[in-house]
Amino acid sequence: MRRRMAIGALGPTAVALMLLPACHAGPAAGAGRATAAAAVSTATVTTGEATPATGDVARQVDIGGGRKIYLHCRGSGSATVVLASGLHDSSDTWSITDTRPPVPKTPAVFPGVAQFTRVCTYDRPGAVRYTNPPALTTRSTPVTGTRSLPDMVDDLDKVLTAGHVPGPYLLVGHSFGGMITRLYAQRHPERTSGLVFVDSFGTDIKPLFGTDWAGYVRLLNHPGTPFDDDPAFENVDIDGAVAAVDRAGPLPKVPLAVLSKTEPFAAPEGTPKSLLTRLERAWPQVQRTLVDLAPQTPHLLATGSDHYVQVHDPDLTIGAIKLIMGRIAHR
């Protein structure tokens, strides 16, 4: 087993251990942080009304209601790849790496995908930047209160529409970001050309937890970070999210791929052992259910990786995206 830095916590909760003083700093440390800084610094941050179809552009997009969302796009080509981060994570996780040989350190997923097509990512309000020290993003307008999955999907649709990002989209979701991309595809099938789930959350996880479900949900929204009690920290109605996907229509018939971890989740100190046991037992079934969403879906195991497959195995993640791009081109 390859030793990994403790950067993830319990499925879609993305930043708990990164922010706990007693734990490793996570992908924001060392070369990973430098990679993220370089990716951001090369973009011109603007507040203009249009996002060019080529080039490296980072800007705040006005989505109405007095709110703006940070959008970063790079590269050229079609289909446009849209990257959605996990719960509490900013877009930084697509621009950093924490690899060990033989996995190359560069490129990270965002710049790697930009080498062969247009790719965009965005900051949800209340997400954590992988900076030193970590901080809530100031690039998107803060939102307080518990958010629903449909509202999060509406935000994604608004930023892509108002940002004039050309579709259809190959949607790539990490962890809870997979719930966002999944519901987006169900609600906007005409704008969806493909899906890649990166160790993503699934709707069948709730019954697999039994009596530990309530404790798991509490930990997802309060993972033990310094921001847990900040009103602006991302807080999501997990039960409502599961119900929203289950109630929505079928996924469009588009190419799909699933990437899954092989190593245990990191967890905050004091997490009940029964909860962790349930999680590790449930997660492989969740991944298999995602594979079963579409015929001939490749299931790629990121051997030696924990939950942050895109950080630990960026080349595998890029390869999966490229594979689905190829299948889209031959439909």
Side-chain angles (χ1 to χ4, degrees), residues 111-221:
V113 173
Q115 293 176 5
F116 57 86
T117 194
R118 190 69 167 161
V119 58
C120 298
T121 189
Y122 68 109
D123 278 4
R124 296 190 306 274
V128 176
R129 296 292 318 281
Y130 279 56
T131 52
N132 186 19
L136 295 184
T137 184
T138 59
R139 303 186 295 192
S140 296
T141 306
V143 175
T144 59
T146 302
R147 305 213 69 202
S148 72
L149 182 62
D151 285 346
M152 298 166 85
V153 171
D154 284 345
D155 278 0
L156 175 56
D157 186 51
K158 288 175 182 177
V159 74
L160 294 175
T161 301
H164 304 287
V165 177
Y169 310 117
L170 195 176
L171 302 165
V172 182
H174 172 239
S175 197
F176 192 81
M179 293 285 282
I180 297 172
T181 58
R182 183 173 173 180
L183 186 59
Y184 183 95
Q186 290 171 295
R187 293 173 62 173
H188 303 282
E190 76 288 350
R191 303 187 72 183
T192 303
S193 60
L195 289 158
V196 176
F197 292 120
V198 183
D199 212 42
S200 293
F201 194 82
T203 59
D204 59 325
I205 193 170
K206 182 176 179 178
L208 297 175
F209 260 89
T211 57
D212 286 316
W213 175 250
Y216 180 55
V217 169
R218 283 193 299 270
L219 191 58
L220 293 181
N221 280 317

Side-chain angles (χ1 to χ4, degrees), residues 174 196-200 257-263 265 283-291 298-310 313 316-317 320:
H174 172 239
V196 176
F197 292 120
V198 183
D199 212 42
S200 293
V258 175
L259 287 80
S260 304
K261 72 178 184 70
T262 64
E263 301 306 314
F265 286 103
W283 203 253
Q285 177 58 52
V286 170
Q287 300 304 294
R288 288 191 293 269
T289 301
L290 292 174
V291 172
H299 187 191
L300 307 175
L301 297 181
T303 306
S305 177
D306 68 11
H307 186 48
Y308 282 80
V309 175
Q310 79 274 36
D313 287 281
L316 182 66
T317 307

Side-chain angles (χ1 to χ4, degrees), residues 38-60:
V40 173
S41 64
T42 58
T44 302
V45 180
T46 69
T47 56
E49 293 303 318
T51 301
T54 61
D56 189 349
V57 181
R59 74 186 192 92
Q60 293 175 309

Side-chain angles (χ1 to χ4, degrees), residues 238-250:
I238 304 296
D239 285 283
V242 170
V245 171
D246 284 341
R247 287 195 305 263

Side-chain angles (χ1 to χ4, degrees), residues 39-119:
V40 173
S41 64
T42 58
T44 302
V45 180
T46 69
T47 56
E49 293 303 318
T51 301
T54 61
D56 189 349
V57 181
R59 74 186 192 92
Q60 293 175 309
V61 176
D62 189 337
I63 65 167
R67 294 179 56 212
K68 293 181 179 180
I69 289 182
Y70 173 81
L71 177 70
H72 188 183
C73 298
R74 184 184 294 181
S76 61
S78 181
T80 301
V81 174
V82 177
L83 307 172
S85 301
L87 186 62
H88 308 311
D89 264 343
S90 70
S91 56
D92 291 342
T93 56
W94 302 103
S95 296
I96 57 179
T97 64
D98 173 23
T99 66
R100 296 184 65 179
V103 181
K105 293 181 179 179
T106 60
V109 172
F110 180 77
V113 173
Q115 293 176 5
F116 57 86
T117 194
R118 190 69 167 161
V119 58

